Amino acid sequence: MRPVSKSMRRSGAKWISLFDGKTLDGWKVGDNASTFSVDSGCIIAHGPTAHLFYEGDVHNHDFKNFEFKADVLTRPGSNSGIYIHTQYQQGGWPAKGYEVQVNNSHTDWRRTGSLYGIVDIKEVYCPDNVWFTEYVSVHGKHIVIKLNDRTVVDYTEPEDVSRPADMAGRVLSHGTFALEGHDPNSKVYFKNIMVKPLE
């Protein structure tokens, strides 16, 4: 992993919670808002396709360089994701930013930890029905994804990156985070959702 710059070390960055464990205060969802609920200190994604965007006060919900982590639990056959550098959309799949996959046994072969459509993982590192920690860091053009402290993606976006038209927004810039509700047969739990801004 690329060393953290002196300016980042001097910043004294600390982990900050994005979720109070009780409500969706600071989060916003458009279509199919009922897909997301809170119970027992967890955000639960279970229902029709929907995306829950962080719109709270931390860093004015606009992050460029950061470390992010969340504890995640999937039920069998479930699919979800964590979007980075994204922005609020009323509906559809977020067009801006990257998706970090959450999927241990869904029919989609891209497994948990994949940088979806960019660096895809076929291996299953985390079983269903067991909590695991998914970690993402962005430093400049460098993305690292870890599962339970094991690095599964280490990707540097090319300076002259070019994407197909249907993936034009899959580039690093800045933005917020979003959690995905994929389909009614998927049930995924998130807790301890934390960020460490590095700017």
Side-chain angles (χ1 to χ4, degrees):
M1 186 171 162
R2 179 178 301 175
V4 177
S5 70
K6 290 180 181 178
S7 62
M8 289 179 180
R9 287 197 298 268
R10 283 198 303 265
S11 69
K14 297 179 180 179
W15 288 105
I16 305 169
S17 177
L18 299 180
F19 169 51
D20 64 16
K22 300 176 182 178
T23 70
L24 293 179
D25 289 354
W27 295 80
K28 183 178 180 181
V29 60
D31 296 346
N32 301 322
S34 63
T35 291
F36 294 96
S37 61
V38 176
D39 188 39
S40 302
C42 302
I43 294 176
I44 304 169
H46 184 212
T49 302
H51 293 84
L52 180 68
F53 296 82
Y54 179 69
E55 293 271 298
D57 295 335
V58 176
H59 221 264
N60 197 31
H61 58 268
D62 189 12
F63 304 91
K64 185 174 182 181
N65 296 311
F66 62 83
E67 295 178 64
F68 173 97
K69 63 182 178 180
D71 293 335
V72 186
L73 184 145
T74 58
R75 296 304 187 199
S78 292
N79 193 334
S80 183
I82 300 166
Y83 280 81
I84 63 171
H85 281 198
T86 193
Q87 65 184 13
Y88 176 78
Q89 278 183 215
Q90 180 66 27
W93 307 102
K96 183 177 186 290
Y98 285 106
E99 179 188 358
V100 179
Q101 176 76 309
V102 175
N103 162 21
N104 298 316
S105 60
H106 187 269
T107 54
D108 186 339
W109 63 269
R110 296 172 176 89
R111 298 305 181 196
T112 295
S114 294
L115 190 62
Y116 197 94
I118 307 298
V119 183
D120 291 316
I121 295 170
K122 296 180 180 180
E123 296 79 15
V124 176
Y125 292 103
C126 305
D128 290 317
N129 298 318
V130 176
W131 285 102
F132 62 91
T133 300
E134 192 153 16
Y135 164 99
V136 187
S137 70
V138 174
H139 296 155
K141 296 288 188 179
H142 188 213
I143 303 173
V144 172
I145 301 170
K146 296 182 181 181
L147 302 174
N148 293 332
D149 294 324
R150 178 176 183 171
T151 299
V152 295
V153 169
D154 189 326
Y155 172 74
T156 300
E157 183 182 276
E159 290 296 331
D160 57 349
V161 64
S162 179
R163 304 286 188 217
D166 63 342
M167 296 177 64
R170 298 287 177 260
V171 294
L172 290 171
S173 56
H174 61 90
T176 192
F177 304 101
L179 306 179
E180 179 180 276
H182 189 272
D183 63 80
N185 295 321
S186 293
K187 192 170 189 179
V188 179
Y189 301 74
F190 298 89
K191 67 180 181 179
N192 301 324
I193 304 168
M194 311 283 284
V195 69
K196 184 188 292 185
L198 297 175
E199 291 180 295

